[in-house]
């Protein structure tokens, strides 16, 4: 017995070294459902057609339409910022049934070596309701994570990012605040790609599941509120990787560009920061004072004073990096 075909399916093709898997049927998540599950859903003959259609779409980077018997399969590629296909949207239905409007899906990549995110076509318009004139392809992590009002799986996600191992994956639901002050819910699907030193992901809009009343992590909400007027920059930092993924309080001048740009940190200071992060990850509540020499694009070196604090709350494995300019040399 097979389930009836119909509607839009989402297949991830995030890592070319791994087999594509089904991750959603319409608005319903199907976490990492492989070919065996596909055969159970539509039968062996139809599964063969579907898998071949996905392969052709992924290889050709273009829309593919296949009619076989009474079945119509339409495959639409989801492009990343580098021109590759991170996912395939599939319409499965009867030949005489009109194809419904496809679902809203976009892709992004995060490069471990530069700590910069690369947004695929349509992602910023979809996730942030951003005016096309304000769209940028390359963003820092705080540009995105600072808009998350709900991210229940952040600990597991950042563990995957820090390890960056073959087979590493994460799937969950996130709520994002748009430029229009509306909150939108997404299924986020991510894989680690160690050969490319990247995390690759899909954002699938699932308005059918909310968000309704957005629920913010209370610790993060309190931190944001306290940090806004503290007079120093307050970054939330993942201790394993030393990645600042959100500024709860904006860095003050002359460090203000840190909120939107990843600066170059003096290699010796960066080594000290990373060592301190590793040490404090084992000591919740501990603090360290640091001096960080940073340089932004088209600027000279700026000396920043910093205080690293290991968070001892539900956001375990994370810390705060408080930064301000050296009053003498900044």
């Amino acid at each position: 017995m097979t389930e009836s075909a119909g509607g839009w399916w989402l297949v991830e093709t995030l890592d070319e070294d791994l087999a594509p898997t089904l991750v959603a049927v319409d608005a319903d998540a199907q976490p990492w459902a492989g070919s065996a599950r596909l055969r159970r859903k539509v039968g062996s003959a139809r599964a063969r057609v579907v898998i071949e259609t996905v392969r052709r779409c992924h290889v050709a980077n273009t829309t593919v339409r296949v009619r076989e018997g009474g079945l119509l399969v339409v495959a639409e590629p989801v492009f990343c910022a580098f021109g590759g296909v991170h996912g395939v949207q599939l319409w499965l239905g009867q030949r005489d049934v009109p194809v419904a409007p496809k679902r809203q899906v976009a892709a992004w990549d995060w490069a471990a070596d530069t700590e910069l995110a690369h947004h695929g076509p349509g992602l910023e318009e979809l996730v942030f309701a951003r005016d096309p004139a304000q769209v940028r392809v390359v963003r820092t992590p705080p540009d995105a994570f600072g808009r998350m009002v709900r991210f229940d799986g952040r600990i597991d996600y950042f563990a995957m990012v820090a390890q960056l191992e073959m087979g590493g994956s994460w799937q969950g639901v996130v709520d994002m605040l748009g430029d229009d002050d509306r909150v939108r819910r997404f299924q986020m699907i991510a894989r680690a790609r160690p050969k490319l030193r990247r995390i690759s992901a899909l954002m699938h809009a699932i308005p059918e599941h909310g968000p309704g009343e957005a629920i913010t992590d209370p610790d993060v909400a309190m931190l944001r509120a306290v940090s806004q007027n503290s007079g120093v920059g307050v970054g939330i930092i993942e201790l394993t990787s030393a990645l600042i993924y959100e500024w709860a309080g904006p860095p003050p001048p002359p460090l203000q560009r840190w909120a939107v740009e990843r600066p170059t940190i003096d290699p010796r200071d960066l080594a000290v920061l990373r060592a301190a992060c590793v040490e404090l990850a084992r000591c919740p509540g501990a603090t360290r004072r640091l001096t960080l020499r940073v340089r932004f694009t088209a600027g000279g070196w700026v000396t920043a004073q910093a205080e690293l604090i290991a968070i001892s709350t539900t956001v375990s494995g994370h810390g705060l990096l408080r930064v301000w300019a050296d009053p003498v040399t900044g």
Side-chain angles (χ1 to χ4, degrees), residues 39-182:
R39 284 191 290 272
R40 288 197 297 271
K41 290 184 74 65
V42 299
S44 297
R46 285 183 168 183
R48 175 187 55 79
V49 176
V50 169
I51 293 169
E52 176 60 19
T53 304
V54 169
R55 187 196 67 80
R56 287 174 54 193
C57 177
H58 184 253
V59 171
N61 286 14
T62 190
T63 300
V64 176
R65 299 175 70 95
V66 174
R67 295 175 176 84
E68 182 152 324
L71 179 68
L72 170 64
V73 182
V74 180
E76 294 276 1
V78 181
F79 291 104
C80 72
F82 303 103
V85 175
H86 276 1
V88 174
Q89 292 198 71
L90 281 169
W91 170 262
L92 277 76
Q94 300 303 314
R95 292 183 62 166
D96 56 352
V97 175
V99 177
K102 66 181 179 181
R103 299 190 64 81
Q104 294 183 300
V105 184
W108 56 263
D109 293 89
W110 177 78
D113 294 332
T114 63
E115 296 184 356
L116 294 174
H118 299 260
H119 291 173
L123 183 132
E124 298 211 339
E125 294 93 331
L126 172 62
V127 176
F128 305 123
R130 187 147 292 157
D131 185 288
Q134 303 300 317
V135 166
R136 288 187 2 222
V137 172
V138 180
R139 295 278 183 179
T140 64
D143 287 334
F145 290 107
R147 294 303 190 96
M148 284 185 170
V149 297
R150 185 172 186 174
F151 187 12
D152 293 341
R154 73 173 67 216
I155 302 301
D156 292 337
Y157 171 80
F158 283 110
M160 178 197 68
V161 171
Q163 294 162 6
L164 199 62
E165 295 175 344
M166 183 64 181
S169 61
W170 186 93
Q171 214 184 131
V173 174
V174 296
D175 290 348
M176 306 294 296
L177 179 66
D179 291 352
D180 57 358
D181 292 327
R182 287 183 55 199

Side-chain angles (χ1 to χ4, degrees), residues 9-24 30-34 54 58 78 85-90 105 168-171 187-193 200-203:
W9 296 12
L10 178 60
V11 176
E12 61 83 18
T13 57
L14 295 167
D15 189 335
E16 294 183 357
D17 292 333
L18 299 174
T21 64
L22 179 67
V23 290
Q30 309 282 319
W32 316 113
V54 169
H58 184 253
V78 181
V85 175
H86 276 1
V88 174
Q89 292 198 71
L90 281 169
V105 184
S169 61
W170 186 93
Q171 214 184 131
Q187 177 190 10
M188 188 167 92
I189 306 106
R191 283 196 185 274
R193 306 180 69 185
S200 296
L202 294 168
M203 297 292 279

Side-chain angles (χ1 to χ4, degrees), residues 236-290:
I236 305 177
I237 187 169
E238 205 284 322
L239 294 174
T240 305
S241 61
L243 171 68
I244 299 171
Y245 65 87
E246 179 179 343
W247 286 102
L255 303 171
Q256 70 271 22
R257 287 202 57 78
W258 209 336
V260 295
E261 179 182 333
R262 178 185 179 271
T264 299
I265 301 178
D266 181 276
R268 291 165 296 182
D269 296 341
L270 181 58
V272 172
L273 171 62
R274 286 176 170 165
C277 285
V278 171
E279 179 184 353
L280 265 63
R282 301 189 294 265
C283 307
T287 65
R288 291 289 184 276
R289 283 292 300 270
L290 306 165

Side-chain angles (χ1 to χ4, degrees), residues 223 227 234-237 239 248 307-311 318-322:
L223 173 62
S227 302
V234 182
I236 305 177
I237 187 169
L239 294 174
E307 181 180 42
L308 181 65
I309 308 166
I311 299 176
H318 293 63
L320 305 180
L321 187 68
R322 303 175 70 247

